Amino acid sequence: VWGRLPGGVGYLAVTAMAGAGGNEDEQRAAAGRALDAALADLKDTRALVFDIAHNLGGLDMVSAEIAARFADRERLAYTKHPYADTRVQPQPLRIAPAATARYLKPVYLLTSEFTCSAGETFTLMMRTFPHVVQVGQPTQGIFSDGLAKFLPNGWTFSLSNEIYRDARGESFEARGLPPDRYASVYPAQESANSYGRALRRVAQWAAQR
């Protein structure tokens, strides 16, 4: 979903890093087309509020497809490796600029405790770019892919068996990614208007850039 906020500020919300149907390549392509359309409409804005305050995750590669639209140059986003297995070298993930539409003006990435999984890996990617500021509340802190296990009675369960570290080598598992600038999106004593107030506040910050 995208549109415009007061002060020449663009608005873009992504609620899942999946959902377009098909395999991973098809989902990446669908996400890319949607982002290209949104950024074409918002190219004349002075700044962008990118809302992932209620993003429940999906596919890391869809996150990467979206993040490439904001890359100024190729950068290391994070590394991941299996928990407590020193035989395996950390696997790096780098984000290079997309060959299509890009947005390199100020971006305010709105997060909350409902930003999780692939929404958090997306936040890791976006935090590496100098024109992106994370605002809102800390993310949920559940980065790992799920290692599925199948039981004889038909039940399944999954384990979080990976450690994600940002470009500086820091892990945010269980504690979440803290914002650069705090705004109360979903306070402990939630009111009906808390989300709207947070969004308006972030829009004001973006308009002042």
Side-chain angles (χ1 to χ4, degrees), residues 80-131:
K80 68 176 182 177
H81 63 90
Y83 179 77
D85 191 339
T86 58
R87 300 169 299 173
V88 181
Q89 292 297 312
Q91 175 184 344
L93 186 133
R94 299 178 180 274
I95 302 297
T100 55
R102 286 192 293 152
Y103 193 98
L104 301 179
K105 299 173 188 178
V107 175
Y108 287 75
L109 185 67
L110 181 62
T111 64
S112 79
E113 63 179 309
F114 297 110
T115 306
C116 57
S117 192
E120 293 181 282
T121 61
F122 178 72
T123 305
L124 280 174
M125 298 170 196
M126 295 290 282
R127 281 163 58 107
T128 66
F129 305 140
H131 59 291

Side-chain angles (χ1 to χ4, degrees), residues 30-52:
R33 289 192 298 270
L35 262 291
D36 289 343
L39 296 182
D41 284 350
L42 301 174
K43 64 182 179 181
D44 61 341
T45 55
R46 60 184 299 178
L48 179 69
V49 176
F50 198 144
D51 185 356
I52 56 167

Side-chain angles (χ1 to χ4, degrees), residues 95-178:
I95 302 297
T100 55
R102 286 192 293 152
Y103 193 98
L104 301 179
K105 299 173 188 178
V107 175
Y108 287 75
L109 185 67
L110 181 62
T111 64
S112 79
E113 63 179 309
F114 297 110
T115 306
C116 57
S117 192
E120 293 181 282
T121 61
F122 178 72
T123 305
L124 280 174
M125 298 170 196
M126 295 290 282
R127 281 163 58 107
T128 66
F129 305 140
H131 59 291
V132 176
V133 178
Q134 183 188 348
V135 296
Q137 292 175 302
T139 64
Q140 193 168 127
I142 53 169
F143 295 83
S144 177
D145 295 322
L147 176 63
K149 298 292 184 179
F150 304 91
L151 301 181
N153 65 353
W155 291 6
T156 62
F157 70 95
S158 66
L159 301 171
S160 297
N161 69 315
E162 297 170 324
I163 298 175
Y164 282 67
R165 298 186 185 276
D166 70 6
R168 295 172 296 188
E170 188 171 359
S171 172
F172 294 89
E173 190 73 25
R175 59 193 176 107
L177 290 158

